């Protein structure tokens, strides 16, 4: 039976996947398609999915720009409910002859909506709702045949609906956690308006995913790129259940991992029946990174070398198949084959193509979001070090060493990072944090150590709370813990004379420093 599905049209907004996740949390499946999808494409998608509603996502454009992305009219005429969010809201207004203008005051962040009519999509919401806004253009009057449901101080038409068809628009972002009734709004759309069934249950997939891997690889050999992160770990376990000793997990140690990382990953996977190899390639990476300061160049070099090492491993074990922990956002972000019925797999390791021709690329998690992968991880019994492992960037410590990466700097940062982790965890403060780590700066500073002037390194601490890394707040770490961390770092690492705490949110900062 086909899954009830909400199709999200992607207008380039960073929020597109968040919409997908919020809807799936309500046990309704979602797919993302390009904004200019034709009716024919839509019909193709409908062969596999029971599309019950359409969401037009937000995006960075203005409807008045010359090449502004538009949804084809034939899509707006489909006989299914449509919900426009942010840019999607403005686009519906514009295409159906409402009035959209650049607002005198742009709105970013928290705002208050006044509900004129708490019905349909806004059913059950309060008269005043805390909402998250991020827009320049504003709808000043709704299209003919539409009515305004809510407004804010700077936005006279913050929500509307058609009086004849199930078409709705909301200027704010219900998908962002700061919008208090965001989930209620989605529930209204999914269950009251689109009448979706709750038929999306990711943990029920395990048996099928294992069977699919078995079918694809048969009796041949496969390798899996295992980083110890949750996605590659779950892919590894599913593949191990399916293939047993015909699977080799490859862990590439580029020397930019945290202290003890490769040992921990090896330990964790001991209990699963698979081959495990660690490629020790620290020197190769360091050599290539010599003299490189630009963060983007560092990322590229590491990505490229990673692939070379991976190819070496594949040849060594004579594998014909490649298993990857690619998840849904990775797949969409590496570009969907535009206008194709269903996005196909990409040959990528660390986001880059590999030259090795595999008979097949197996991506068991390609339709899942991170939180869904975590549900699977729990079900298959992965330990909590993996379930709750902090996200760790592919380029590793290289993006936490500002400027050139050297062996000496890596050593300093590894020690500092270990202290940060130990202290945060010892005080049991890590539970509600997204990430906590150290950054090594490339400026020196004066200090006193013993009775002597010391001229040494600076470590910055980055500790953030976040739900999905799109936005993040610096954590209000108790001074006691900060003090302990700072004291230990300057005492235990002779090269460091100063520790600073990063007190910026994201945005405008990012979580990582590079
Ligand atoms: P930023 O720094 O953009 O990071 O706020 C958001 C989240 O993504 C992680 N991150 C990366 N992960 N490769 C990765 O696999 C990368 O190049 C990379 N850069 C950032 C970061 O740790 C944070 O959780």
């Amino acid at each position: 039976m086909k899954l009830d599905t909400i199709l999200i049209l992607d207008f380039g907004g960073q929020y597109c996947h968040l919409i997908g996740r919020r809807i799936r949390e309500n046990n309704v499946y979602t797919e993302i398609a390009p904004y200019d999808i034709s009716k024919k494409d839509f019909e193709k998608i409908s062969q596999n999915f029971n599309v019950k509603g359409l969401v037009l996502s937000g995006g960075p454009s203005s409807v008045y720009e010359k090449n502004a992305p538009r949804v084809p009219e034939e899509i707006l005429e489909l006989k299914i409910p449509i919900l426009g969010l942010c840019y999607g809201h403005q686009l519906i207004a514009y295409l159906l002859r409402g009035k959209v203008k650049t607002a005198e005051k742009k709105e970013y962040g928290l705002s208050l909506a006044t509900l004129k009519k708490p019905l349909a999509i806004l059913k059950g919401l309060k008269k005043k709702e805390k909402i998250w806004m991020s827009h320049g253009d504003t709808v000043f009057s709704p299209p003919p045949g539409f009515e305004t449901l809510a407004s804010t101080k700077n936005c006279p038409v913050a929500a509307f609906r058609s009086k004849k068809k199930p078409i709705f628009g909301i200027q704010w972002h219900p998908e962002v956690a700061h919008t208090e009734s965001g989930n209620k709004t989605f529930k209204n759309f999914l269950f009251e308006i689109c009448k979706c069934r709750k038929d999306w249950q990711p943990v029920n997939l395990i048996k099928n995913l294992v069977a699919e891997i078995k079918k694809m690889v048969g009796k041949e050999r496969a390798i899996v790129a295992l980083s110890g992160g949750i996605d590659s770990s779950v892919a590894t376990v599913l593949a191990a259940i399916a293939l047993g000793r015909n699977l080799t997990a490859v862990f590439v140690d580029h020397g930019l991992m945290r202290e003890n990382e490769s040992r921990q990953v090896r330990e964790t996977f001991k209990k699963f029946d698979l081959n495990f190899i660690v490629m020790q390639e620290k020197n190769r990476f360091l050599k290539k990174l010599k003299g490189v300061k630009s963060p983007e160049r560092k990322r590229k070099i590491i990505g490229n070398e990673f692939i070379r090492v991976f190819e070496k491993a594949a040849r060594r074990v004579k594998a014909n198949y490649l298993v990857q922990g690619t998840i849904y956002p990775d797949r969409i972000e590496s570009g969907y084959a535009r206008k194709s019925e269903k996005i196909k797999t990409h040959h990528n390791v660390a986001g880059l193509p590999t030259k090795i021709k595999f008979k097949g690329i197996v991506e068991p998690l390609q339709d899942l979001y991170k939180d869904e992968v975590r549900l699977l991880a729990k079900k298959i019994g992965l330990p909590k070090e993996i379930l709750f492992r902090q996200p760790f960037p592919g380029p590793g410590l290289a993006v936490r060493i500002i400027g050139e990466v050297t062996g000496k700097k890596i050593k300093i940062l590894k020690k500092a990072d270990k202290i940060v982790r130990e202290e945060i965890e010892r005080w049991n403060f890590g539970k509600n944090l997204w990430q906590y780590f150290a950054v090594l700066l490339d400026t020196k500073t004066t200090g006193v150590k013993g009775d002597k002037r010391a001229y040494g390194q600076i470590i910055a601490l980055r500790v953030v709370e976040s739900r999905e890394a799109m936005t993040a707040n610096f954590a209000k770490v108790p001074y006691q813990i900060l003090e302990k961390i700072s004291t230990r770092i300057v005492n235990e690492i002779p090269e460091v004379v100063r520790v600073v705490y990063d007190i910026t949110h994201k945005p405008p900062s990012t979580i990582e420093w590079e």
Side-chain angles (χ1 to χ4, degrees), residues 299 391 393-395 434-435 469 506 510-512:
R299 277 197 157 80
W434 177 263
Q435 271 169 306
K506 172 184 179 175
T510 51
I511 296 176
E512 302 288 346

Tab-separated table of all heavy atoms in Angstrom, residues 299 391 393-395 434-435 469 506 510-512, ligand 1:
chain	number	residue	atom	x	y	z
A	299	ARG	N	39.074	21.759	3.807
A	299	ARG	CA	37.964	20.815	3.648
A	299	ARG	C	38.120	19.981	2.380
A	299	ARG	O	37.928	18.771	2.385
A	299	ARG	CB	36.653	21.586	3.555
A	299	ARG	CG	36.062	21.973	4.835
A	299	ARG	CD	34.593	22.338	4.603
A	299	ARG	NE	33.842	22.195	5.817
A	299	ARG	CZ	33.822	23.103	6.789
A	299	ARG	NH1	34.527	24.202	6.671
A	299	ARG	NH2	33.102	22.895	7.866
A	391	PRO	N	27.763	15.554	17.178
A	391	PRO	CA	28.131	15.613	15.764
A	391	PRO	C	29.604	16.014	15.665
A	391	PRO	O	30.076	16.844	16.449
A	391	PRO	CB	27.260	16.742	15.210
A	391	PRO	CG	26.202	16.973	16.218
A	391	PRO	CD	26.722	16.511	17.537
A	393	PRO	N	32.465	17.038	12.699
A	393	PRO	CA	32.571	17.315	11.261
A	393	PRO	C	33.541	16.372	10.562
A	393	PRO	O	34.558	15.990	11.155
A	393	PRO	CB	33.073	18.761	11.218
A	393	PRO	CG	33.654	19.026	12.557
A	393	PRO	CD	32.943	18.138	13.530
A	394	GLY	N	33.236	16.028	9.326
A	394	GLY	CA	34.109	15.151	8.528
A	394	GLY	C	35.575	15.602	8.545
A	394	GLY	O	36.467	14.779	8.756
A	395	PRO	N	35.849	16.890	8.337
A	395	PRO	CA	37.253	17.331	8.334
A	395	PRO	C	37.871	17.346	9.730
A	395	PRO	O	39.038	17.716	9.892
A	395	PRO	CB	37.195	18.761	7.788
A	395	PRO	CG	35.813	18.959	7.282
A	395	PRO	CD	34.933	17.979	7.970
A	434	TRP	N	24.214	20.335	22.409
A	434	TRP	CA	24.369	19.826	21.042
A	434	TRP	C	25.833	19.464	20.800
A	434	TRP	O	26.148	18.396	20.329
A	434	TRP	CB	23.906	20.905	20.066
A	434	TRP	CG	24.078	20.556	18.631
A	434	TRP	CD1	25.111	20.911	17.809
A	434	TRP	CD2	23.195	19.766	17.827
A	434	TRP	NE1	24.925	20.406	16.553
A	434	TRP	CE2	23.761	19.699	16.528
A	434	TRP	CE3	21.982	19.112	18.069
A	434	TRP	CZ2	23.150	19.012	15.487
A	434	TRP	CZ3	21.381	18.430	17.029
A	434	TRP	CH2	21.968	18.378	15.766
A	435	GLN	N	26.715	20.401	21.163
A	435	GLN	CA	28.148	20.156	21.001
A	435	GLN	C	28.946	20.909	22.044
A	435	GLN	O	28.526	21.982	22.501
A	435	GLN	CB	28.614	20.641	19.625
A	435	GLN	CG	28.505	19.594	18.538
A	435	GLN	CD	28.725	20.173	17.153
A	435	GLN	OE1	28.063	21.122	16.763
A	435	GLN	NE2	29.659	19.611	16.412
A	469	ALA	N	20.871	22.273	14.592
A	469	ALA	CA	22.080	22.956	14.093
A	469	ALA	C	21.805	24.118	13.132
A	469	ALA	O	22.730	24.769	12.690
A	469	ALA	CB	23.071	21.975	13.463
A	506	LYS	N	24.105	31.228	17.002
A	506	LYS	CA	24.023	31.003	15.561
A	506	LYS	C	22.582	31.243	15.136
A	506	LYS	O	21.717	30.568	15.697
A	506	LYS	CB	24.439	29.580	15.205
A	506	LYS	CG	24.174	29.256	13.731
A	506	LYS	CD	24.477	27.832	13.368
A	506	LYS	CE	24.150	27.619	11.889
A	506	LYS	NZ	24.517	26.297	11.416
A	510	THR	N	28.507	30.721	13.215
A	510	THR	CA	28.217	29.315	12.962
A	510	THR	C	28.679	28.547	14.199
A	510	THR	O	29.297	29.128	15.097
A	510	THR	CB	28.975	28.801	11.721
A	510	THR	OG1	30.344	29.143	11.870
A	510	THR	CG2	28.420	29.417	10.460
A	511	ILE	N	28.393	27.261	14.239
A	511	ILE	CA	28.808	26.480	15.404
A	511	ILE	C	30.314	26.250	15.355
A	511	ILE	O	31.040	26.597	16.283
A	511	ILE	CB	28.040	25.142	15.470
A	511	ILE	CG1	26.540	25.421	15.680
A	511	ILE	CG2	28.594	24.270	16.595
A	511	ILE	CD1	25.658	24.195	15.662
A	512	GLU	N	30.780	25.694	14.248
A	512	GLU	CA	32.226	25.517	14.084
A	512	GLU	C	32.839	26.883	13.785
A	512	GLU	O	32.170	27.762	13.255
A	512	GLU	CB	32.516	24.557	12.917
A	512	GLU	CG	31.897	23.170	13.059
A	512	GLU	CD	32.569	22.303	14.105
A	512	GLU	OE1	33.675	22.648	14.556
A	512	GLU	OE2	31.973	21.274	14.479
B	1	LIG	P1	28.042	25.124	11.409
B	1	LIG	O1	29.468	25.351	11.770
B	1	LIG	O2	27.776	25.321	9.948
B	1	LIG	O3	27.778	23.585	11.708
B	1	LIG	O4	27.084	25.911	12.267
B	1	LIG	C1	26.526	22.977	11.778
B	1	LIG	C2	26.735	21.523	12.147
B	1	LIG	O5	27.401	20.820	11.087
B	1	LIG	C3	28.654	20.292	11.517
B	1	LIG	N1	29.629	20.559	10.461
B	1	LIG	C4	30.101	19.650	9.584
B	1	LIG	N2	29.857	18.324	9.445
B	1	LIG	N3	31.359	18.207	7.615
B	1	LIG	C5	30.495	17.617	8.462
B	1	LIG	O6	30.292	16.398	8.334
B	1	LIG	C6	31.675	19.521	7.677
B	1	LIG	O7	32.469	20.028	6.898
B	1	LIG	C7	31.003	20.270	8.731
B	1	LIG	N4	31.047	21.572	9.085
B	1	LIG	C8	30.193	21.719	10.148
B	1	LIG	C9	28.978	21.039	12.803
B	1	LIG	O8	29.791	20.267	13.672
B	1	LIG	C10	27.612	21.346	13.361
B	1	LIG	O9	27.081	20.285	14.132
